Amino acid sequence: MRFFIVALTVSCTPHLKAEESATCDGEALDNSWEVTVAPLGLQGEGYGRGEVVPDFCLDDQFGERISLWQFYGDVILLDISTMWCGPCQQIAQDVDETWKEFRDQGFTYITMLPEDLDGGDVGLDDVQSWADEFKITAPIVADNEGYAYDVEPNQVWPVVMLIDRNMEVIADRIAPNDAAIRAAITDAL
């Protein structure tokens, strides 16, 4: 659920300066998403309410490496879904509309896919297929590094969590339906 329309952003977010850079796996980020720099010293703590969520570096549906923390300053909805999951497919139908409705208010919707239709690893073709199937322009990332399993070790999908502008989890389990997701986003913004 990422997609760009030229618009004014109504949030205060740090923007990259020439001497600053955001990195992913030690490499400077070079992707088409907005990039901000998280404050020095920010440390991931965990996935529970009030904790700073750890960063990740994963490939999106365009084959670009993105970092969760590059969206520092935005409210982020992280939707961890698997391709084989019926409820995951159901919420995917509303992702783009939700993202477009709130993005000008400093909101990013990220879908993370840890498993393909057969429960195996997700590749670029899979995230592109998910984007095409559900007409999603917001970020979709292939999680072949196990980040999703750190969030949900019991593998009960989907997991929908909301992260505030400082990378702290403000809702660690949102009901996987459009009404609950929109209500949580509205409360956070």
Side-chain angles (χ1 to χ4, degrees):
M1 295 186 227
R2 333 176 171 139
F3 308 101
F4 309 38
I5 293 179
V6 178
L8 294 175
T9 301
V10 186
S11 66
C12 297
T13 58
H15 295 280
L16 288 178
K17 298 177 184 167
E19 67 276 3
E20 299 178 42
S21 65
T23 62
C24 218
D25 302 330
E27 299 290 323
L29 283 171
D30 182 21
N31 61 50
S32 48
W33 305 107
E34 181 174 333
V35 176
T36 57
V37 177
L40 290 175
L42 186 67
Q43 301 232 353
E45 300 167 331
Y47 310 101
R49 192 171 294 204
E51 294 181 311
V52 173
V53 69
D55 196 9
F56 63 67
C57 292
L58 300 170
D59 295 328
D60 70 8
Q61 70 264 40
F62 304 108
E64 298 177 330
R65 199 99 171 127
I66 71 168
S67 160
L68 176 63
W69 285 7
Q70 83 176 66
F71 301 101
Y72 182 88
D74 279 0
V75 169
I76 301 165
L77 186 106
L78 180 60
D79 163 11
I80 304 174
S81 288
T82 59
M83 296 182 74
W84 53 263
C85 163
C88 302
Q89 294 169 13
Q90 185 67 39
I91 62 174
Q93 296 175 27
D94 298 309
V95 168
D96 212 53
E97 183 180 329
T98 301
W99 182 66
K100 287 177 179 177
E101 179 178 336
F102 295 106
R103 70 179 171 190
D104 291 341
Q105 297 174 54
F107 170 73
T108 300
Y109 195 126
I110 299 174
T111 301
M112 176 185 288
L113 298 175
E115 295 178 10
D116 67 11
L117 286 169
D118 299 318
D121 288 344
V122 175
L124 181 58
D125 289 346
D126 295 312
V127 291
Q128 289 171 337
S129 172
W130 191 264
D132 292 344
E133 172 79 19
F134 297 106
K135 297 173 180 40
I136 298 172
T137 55
I140 303 171
V141 294
D143 179 21
N144 291 321
E145 297 180 25
Y147 180 84
Y149 304 108
D150 290 338
V151 176
E152 179 48 65
N154 297 319
Q155 302 177 32
V156 178
W157 314 115
V159 172
V160 182
M161 63 187 342
L162 199 61
I163 302 164
D164 74 8
R165 298 180 193 282
N166 297 311
M167 291 293 146
E168 290 183 15
V169 176
I170 53 178
D172 56 353
R173 295 294 188 273
I174 299 170
N177 64 67
D178 190 53
I181 289 170
R182 286 173 181 267
I185 294 166
T186 299
D187 288 348
L189 293 173

Short mmCIF file of all heavy atoms in Angstrom, two decimals, residues 134-176:
data_model
loop_
_atom_site.label_atom_id
_atom_site.label_comp_id
_atom_site.label_asym_id
_atom_site.label_seq_id
_atom_site.Cartn_x
_atom_site.Cartn_y
_atom_site.Cartn_z
N PHE A 134 -4.41 -7.35 -5.47
CA PHE A 134 -5.23 -6.50 -4.61
C PHE A 134 -5.08 -5.01 -4.94
O PHE A 134 -5.57 -4.16 -4.20
CB PHE A 134 -4.90 -6.79 -3.14
CG PHE A 134 -5.23 -8.20 -2.76
CD1 PHE A 134 -4.23 -9.15 -2.57
CD2 PHE A 134 -6.56 -8.61 -2.63
CE1 PHE A 134 -4.53 -10.47 -2.24
CE2 PHE A 134 -6.87 -9.93 -2.31
CZ PHE A 134 -5.86 -10.86 -2.12
N LYS A 135 -4.37 -4.73 -6.05
CA LYS A 135 -4.20 -3.34 -6.52
C LYS A 135 -3.64 -2.44 -5.41
O LYS A 135 -4.16 -1.35 -5.13
CB LYS A 135 -5.51 -2.80 -7.07
CG LYS A 135 -5.99 -3.59 -8.28
CD LYS A 135 -7.36 -3.16 -8.73
CE LYS A 135 -7.88 -3.91 -9.93
NZ LYS A 135 -7.65 -5.30 -10.04
N ILE A 136 -2.56 -2.90 -4.82
CA ILE A 136 -1.91 -2.19 -3.71
C ILE A 136 -0.70 -1.42 -4.22
O ILE A 136 0.17 -1.98 -4.88
CB ILE A 136 -1.48 -3.18 -2.60
CG1 ILE A 136 -2.70 -3.90 -2.03
CG2 ILE A 136 -0.71 -2.44 -1.50
CD1 ILE A 136 -2.36 -5.03 -1.07
N THR A 137 -0.66 -0.15 -3.89
CA THR A 137 0.47 0.68 -4.28
C THR A 137 1.35 1.02 -3.08
O THR A 137 2.42 1.61 -3.25
CB THR A 137 -0.02 1.98 -4.95
OG1 THR A 137 -0.93 2.62 -4.06
CG2 THR A 137 -0.74 1.68 -6.27
N ALA A 138 0.90 0.72 -1.87
CA ALA A 138 1.69 0.93 -0.66
C ALA A 138 2.77 -0.15 -0.57
O ALA A 138 2.70 -1.16 -1.27
CB ALA A 138 0.77 0.88 0.56
N PRO A 139 3.76 0.04 0.32
CA PRO A 139 4.85 -0.94 0.42
C PRO A 139 4.37 -2.34 0.81
O PRO A 139 3.57 -2.50 1.74
CB PRO A 139 5.74 -0.37 1.52
CG PRO A 139 5.39 1.07 1.62
CD PRO A 139 3.96 1.19 1.21
N ILE A 140 4.88 -3.31 0.08
CA ILE A 140 4.70 -4.73 0.41
C ILE A 140 6.10 -5.32 0.42
O ILE A 140 6.84 -5.16 -0.54
CB ILE A 140 3.84 -5.46 -0.64
CG1 ILE A 140 2.48 -4.77 -0.80
CG2 ILE A 140 3.67 -6.93 -0.27
CD1 ILE A 140 1.68 -5.29 -1.98
N VAL A 141 6.45 -5.99 1.51
CA VAL A 141 7.80 -6.55 1.61
C VAL A 141 7.77 -8.06 1.77
O VAL A 141 6.87 -8.63 2.37
CB VAL A 141 8.60 -5.91 2.77
CG1 VAL A 141 8.86 -4.43 2.49
CG2 VAL A 141 7.92 -6.10 4.11
N ALA A 142 8.78 -8.70 1.19
CA ALA A 142 8.97 -10.14 1.31
C ALA A 142 9.85 -10.40 2.53
O ALA A 142 10.98 -9.94 2.59
CB ALA A 142 9.66 -10.68 0.05
N ASP A 143 9.30 -11.11 3.50
CA ASP A 143 10.04 -11.39 4.73
C ASP A 143 10.65 -12.78 4.67
O ASP A 143 10.06 -13.74 5.14
CB ASP A 143 9.13 -11.26 5.95
CG ASP A 143 9.87 -11.58 7.25
OD1 ASP A 143 11.11 -11.50 7.27
OD2 ASP A 143 9.19 -11.91 8.24
N ASN A 144 11.85 -12.86 4.14
CA ASN A 144 12.58 -14.13 4.12
C ASN A 144 13.64 -14.18 5.21
O ASN A 144 14.51 -15.04 5.19
CB ASN A 144 13.19 -14.36 2.74
CG ASN A 144 12.12 -14.63 1.71
OD1 ASN A 144 11.14 -15.30 2.00
ND2 ASN A 144 12.27 -14.07 0.53
N GLU A 145 13.55 -13.23 6.14
CA GLU A 145 14.52 -13.17 7.22
C GLU A 145 13.94 -13.52 8.57
O GLU A 145 14.61 -13.46 9.59
CB GLU A 145 15.18 -11.79 7.24
CG GLU A 145 15.95 -11.53 5.95
CD GLU A 145 16.63 -10.19 5.90
OE1 GLU A 145 16.93 -9.63 6.98
OE2 GLU A 145 16.86 -9.70 4.80
N GLY A 146 12.65 -13.86 8.62
CA GLY A 146 12.03 -14.33 9.86
C GLY A 146 11.55 -13.25 10.80
O GLY A 146 11.21 -13.55 11.95
N TYR A 147 11.51 -12.02 10.36
CA TYR A 147 11.04 -10.93 11.21
C TYR A 147 9.63 -11.23 11.72
O TYR A 147 9.34 -11.06 12.90
CB TYR A 147 11.07 -9.62 10.41
CG TYR A 147 10.61 -8.41 11.18
CD1 TYR A 147 11.48 -7.72 12.00
CD2 TYR A 147 9.30 -7.95 11.07
CE1 TYR A 147 11.06 -6.60 12.71
CE2 TYR A 147 8.87 -6.84 11.77
CZ TYR A 147 9.75 -6.17 12.58
OH TYR A 147 9.33 -5.07 13.28
N ALA A 148 8.74 -11.68 10.84
CA ALA A 148 7.35 -11.95 11.21
C ALA A 148 7.25 -12.99 12.32
O ALA A 148 6.38 -12.91 13.19
CB ALA A 148 6.55 -12.41 9.99
N TYR A 149 8.15 -13.96 12.32
CA TYR A 149 8.11 -15.02 13.33
C TYR A 149 8.60 -14.53 14.69
O TYR A 149 8.28 -15.12 15.71
CB TYR A 149 8.89 -16.24 12.86
CG TYR A 149 8.38 -16.74 11.53
CD1 TYR A 149 9.12 -16.57 10.38
CD2 TYR A 149 7.12 -17.34 11.43
CE1 TYR A 149 8.64 -17.00 9.15
CE2 TYR A 149 6.63 -17.76 10.21
CZ TYR A 149 7.39 -17.59 9.07
OH TYR A 149 6.90 -18.00 7.86
N ASP A 150 9.39 -13.45 14.70
CA ASP A 150 9.76 -12.81 15.96
C ASP A 150 8.55 -12.09 16.54
O ASP A 150 8.35 -12.08 17.75
CB ASP A 150 10.90 -11.80 15.76
CG ASP A 150 12.22 -12.46 15.42
OD1 ASP A 150 12.39 -13.66 15.74
OD2 ASP A 150 13.08 -11.78 14.83
N VAL A 151 7.75 -11.48 15.66
CA VAL A 151 6.54 -10.77 16.10
C VAL A 151 5.49 -11.78 16.57
O VAL A 151 4.86 -11.59 17.61
CB VAL A 151 5.96 -9.91 14.96
CG1 VAL A 151 4.65 -9.25 15.37
CG2 VAL A 151 6.97 -8.85 14.50
N GLU A 152 5.30 -12.85 15.82
CA GLU A 152 4.25 -13.84 16.11
C GLU A 152 4.83 -15.25 16.04
O GLU A 152 4.71 -15.93 15.01
CB GLU A 152 3.09 -13.68 15.13
CG GLU A 152 1.95 -14.66 15.32
CD GLU A 152 1.48 -14.80 16.75
OE1 GLU A 152 0.96 -13.82 17.31
OE2 GLU A 152 1.64 -15.88 17.32
N PRO A 153 5.49 -15.70 17.12
CA PRO A 153 6.12 -17.02 17.11
C PRO A 153 5.13 -18.17 16.89
O PRO A 153 5.50 -19.23 16.40
CB PRO A 153 6.79 -17.14 18.47
CG PRO A 153 6.68 -15.82 19.13
CD PRO A 153 5.71 -14.99 18.36
N ASN A 154 3.85 -17.96 17.26
CA ASN A 154 2.85 -19.02 17.10
C ASN A 154 2.27 -19.09 15.69
O ASN A 154 1.44 -19.95 15.42
CB ASN A 154 1.73 -18.83 18.13
CG ASN A 154 2.24 -18.96 19.54
OD1 ASN A 154 3.06 -19.82 19.85
ND2 ASN A 154 1.77 -18.08 20.41
N GLN A 155 2.69 -18.16 14.84
CA GLN A 155 2.28 -18.14 13.43
C GLN A 155 0.76 -18.09 13.26
O GLN A 155 0.20 -18.81 12.43
CB GLN A 155 2.90 -19.32 12.69
CG GLN A 155 4.41 -19.31 12.77
CD GLN A 155 5.04 -20.51 12.11
OE1 GLN A 155 4.52 -21.04 11.15
NE2 GLN A 155 6.18 -20.94 12.64
N VAL A 156 0.12 -17.25 14.04
CA VAL A 156 -1.31 -17.01 13.91
C VAL A 156 -1.47 -15.73 13.11
O VAL A 156 -1.18 -14.64 13.60
CB VAL A 156 -1.99 -16.89 15.29
CG1 VAL A 156 -3.47 -16.59 15.14
CG2 VAL A 156 -1.77 -18.14 16.11
N TRP A 157 -1.87 -15.86 11.86
CA TRP A 157 -1.93 -14.72 10.93
C TRP A 157 -3.37 -14.32 10.65
O TRP A 157 -4.24 -15.17 10.72
CB TRP A 157 -1.23 -15.08 9.62
CG TRP A 157 0.09 -15.75 9.79
CD1 TRP A 157 0.40 -17.01 9.43
CD2 TRP A 157 1.28 -15.20 10.37
NE1 TRP A 157 1.71 -17.30 9.75
CE2 TRP A 157 2.27 -16.20 10.33
CE3 TRP A 157 1.62 -13.98 10.93
CZ2 TRP A 157 3.56 -16.01 10.80
CZ3 TRP A 157 2.90 -13.78 11.40
CH2 TRP A 157 3.86 -14.79 11.35
N PRO A 158 -3.61 -13.09 10.32
CA PRO A 158 -2.68 -11.97 10.22
C PRO A 158 -2.40 -11.34 11.59
O PRO A 158 -3.14 -11.55 12.55
CB PRO A 158 -3.44 -10.97 9.35
CG PRO A 158 -4.87 -11.21 9.68
CD PRO A 158 -4.98 -12.70 9.93
N VAL A 159 -1.32 -10.58 11.63
CA VAL A 159 -1.01 -9.73 12.78
C VAL A 159 -1.04 -8.31 12.25
O VAL A 159 -0.35 -7.99 11.28
CB VAL A 159 0.38 -10.05 13.37
CG1 VAL A 159 0.76 -9.03 14.43
CG2 VAL A 159 0.41 -11.45 13.94
N VAL A 160 -1.86 -7.48 12.86
CA VAL A 160 -1.97 -6.09 12.45
C VAL A 160 -1.59 -5.23 13.65
O VAL A 160 -2.22 -5.32 14.71
CB VAL A 160 -3.40 -5.75 11.97
CG1 VAL A 160 -3.49 -4.31 11.51
CG2 VAL A 160 -3.84 -6.70 10.86
N MET A 161 -0.52 -4.45 13.49
CA MET A 161 -0.05 -3.61 14.59
C MET A 161 0.13 -2.17 14.13
O MET A 161 0.37 -1.92 12.95
CB MET A 161 1.23 -4.16 15.21
CG MET A 161 2.41 -4.20 14.29
SD MET A 161 3.91 -5.05 14.94
CE MET A 161 3.71 -5.12 16.65
N LEU A 162 0.01 -1.25 15.07
CA LEU A 162 0.15 0.16 14.77
C LEU A 162 1.34 0.71 15.52
O LEU A 162 1.50 0.45 16.72
CB LEU A 162 -1.14 0.90 15.16
CG LEU A 162 -1.36 2.26 14.54
CD1 LEU A 162 -1.44 2.19 13.01
CD2 LEU A 162 -2.64 2.88 15.07
N ILE A 163 2.16 1.47 14.81
CA ILE A 163 3.41 2.01 15.34
C ILE A 163 3.31 3.53 15.27
O ILE A 163 2.94 4.08 14.21
CB ILE A 163 4.60 1.49 14.52
CG1 ILE A 163 4.62 -0.05 14.55
CG2 ILE A 163 5.91 2.08 15.02
CD1 ILE A 163 5.49 -0.69 13.48
N ASP A 164 3.65 4.21 16.36
CA ASP A 164 3.52 5.67 16.36
C ASP A 164 4.71 6.34 15.66
O ASP A 164 5.61 5.68 15.16
CB ASP A 164 3.29 6.21 17.77
CG ASP A 164 4.51 6.20 18.67
OD1 ASP A 164 5.65 5.90 18.22
OD2 ASP A 164 4.34 6.50 19.87
N ARG A 165 4.70 7.65 15.65
CA ARG A 165 5.71 8.44 14.92
C ARG A 165 7.12 8.29 15.48
O ARG A 165 8.10 8.63 14.84
CB ARG A 165 5.30 9.91 14.90
CG ARG A 165 3.98 10.14 14.18
CD ARG A 165 3.58 11.60 14.17
NE ARG A 165 2.20 11.79 13.74
CZ ARG A 165 1.76 11.73 12.49
NH1 ARG A 165 2.60 11.49 11.52
NH2 ARG A 165 0.48 11.92 12.22
N ASN A 166 7.23 7.75 16.72
CA ASN A 166 8.53 7.53 17.36
C ASN A 166 8.94 6.07 17.33
O ASN A 166 9.84 5.67 18.05
CB ASN A 166 8.48 8.05 18.80
CG ASN A 166 8.23 9.53 18.86
OD1 ASN A 166 8.88 10.30 18.17
ND2 ASN A 166 7.27 9.94 19.67
N MET A 167 8.25 5.26 16.53
CA MET A 167 8.52 3.83 16.36
C MET A 167 8.12 2.99 17.56
O MET A 167 8.59 1.87 17.73
CB MET A 167 10.00 3.55 16.01
CG MET A 167 10.40 4.02 14.64
SD MET A 167 9.54 3.06 13.38
CE MET A 167 9.33 4.31 12.13
N GLU A 168 7.22 3.50 18.40
CA GLU A 168 6.71 2.72 19.52
C GLU A 168 5.39 2.06 19.13
O GLU A 168 4.53 2.68 18.50
CB GLU A 168 6.47 3.61 20.74
CG GLU A 168 7.75 4.11 21.37
CD GLU A 168 7.51 4.94 22.62
OE1 GLU A 168 6.39 4.93 23.17
OE2 GLU A 168 8.46 5.62 23.03
N VAL A 169 5.24 0.81 19.52
CA VAL A 169 4.02 0.08 19.24
C VAL A 169 2.90 0.67 20.10
O VAL A 169 3.03 0.74 21.32
CB VAL A 169 4.19 -1.43 19.56
CG1 VAL A 169 2.88 -2.18 19.35
CG2 VAL A 169 5.31 -2.03 18.72
N ILE A 170 1.82 1.11 19.45
CA ILE A 170 0.69 1.64 20.21
C ILE A 170 -0.51 0.69 20.19
O ILE A 170 -1.41 0.82 21.00
CB ILE A 170 0.28 3.06 19.74
CG1 ILE A 170 0.04 3.11 18.25
CG2 ILE A 170 1.32 4.06 20.16
CD1 ILE A 170 -0.42 4.48 17.74
N ALA A 171 -0.50 -0.26 19.28
CA ALA A 171 -1.51 -1.32 19.27
C ALA A 171 -0.83 -2.55 18.69
O ALA A 171 -0.42 -2.56 17.54
CB ALA A 171 -2.72 -0.93 18.43
N ASP A 172 -0.67 -3.59 19.51
CA ASP A 172 0.07 -4.76 19.05
C ASP A 172 -0.81 -5.82 18.39
O ASP A 172 -0.31 -6.70 17.72
CB ASP A 172 0.91 -5.38 20.17
CG ASP A 172 0.11 -5.75 21.40
OD1 ASP A 172 -1.09 -5.43 21.46
OD2 ASP A 172 0.69 -6.37 22.29
N ARG A 173 -2.10 -5.72 18.54
CA ARG A 173 -3.01 -6.66 17.88
C ARG A 173 -4.32 -5.95 17.59
O ARG A 173 -5.16 -5.75 18.47
CB ARG A 173 -3.30 -7.88 18.76
CG ARG A 173 -2.10 -8.78 19.06
CD ARG A 173 -1.59 -9.45 17.79
NE ARG A 173 -0.58 -10.44 18.04
CZ ARG A 173 0.72 -10.19 18.12
NH1 ARG A 173 1.18 -8.99 18.03
NH2 ARG A 173 1.58 -11.18 18.31
N ILE A 174 -4.49 -5.55 16.35
CA ILE A 174 -5.74 -4.91 15.91
C ILE A 174 -6.55 -5.99 15.21
O ILE A 174 -6.01 -6.79 14.44
CB ILE A 174 -5.44 -3.74 14.94
CG1 ILE A 174 -4.60 -2.67 15.64
CG2 ILE A 174 -6.74 -3.14 14.40
CD1 ILE A 174 -4.05 -1.61 14.71
N ALA A 175 -7.85 -6.00 15.45
CA ALA A 175 -8.71 -6.97 14.76
C ALA A 175 -8.53 -6.82 13.25
O ALA A 175 -8.49 -5.70 12.74
CB ALA A 175 -10.17 -6.73 15.15
N PRO A 176 -8.38 -7.94 12.55
CA PRO A 176 -8.10 -7.88 11.11
C PRO A 176 -9.34 -7.61 10.26
O PRO A 176 -9.75 -8.44 9.46
CB PRO A 176 -7.49 -9.25 10.82
CG PRO A 176 -8.14 -10.15 11.82
CD PRO A 176 -8.34 -9.31 13.05
#
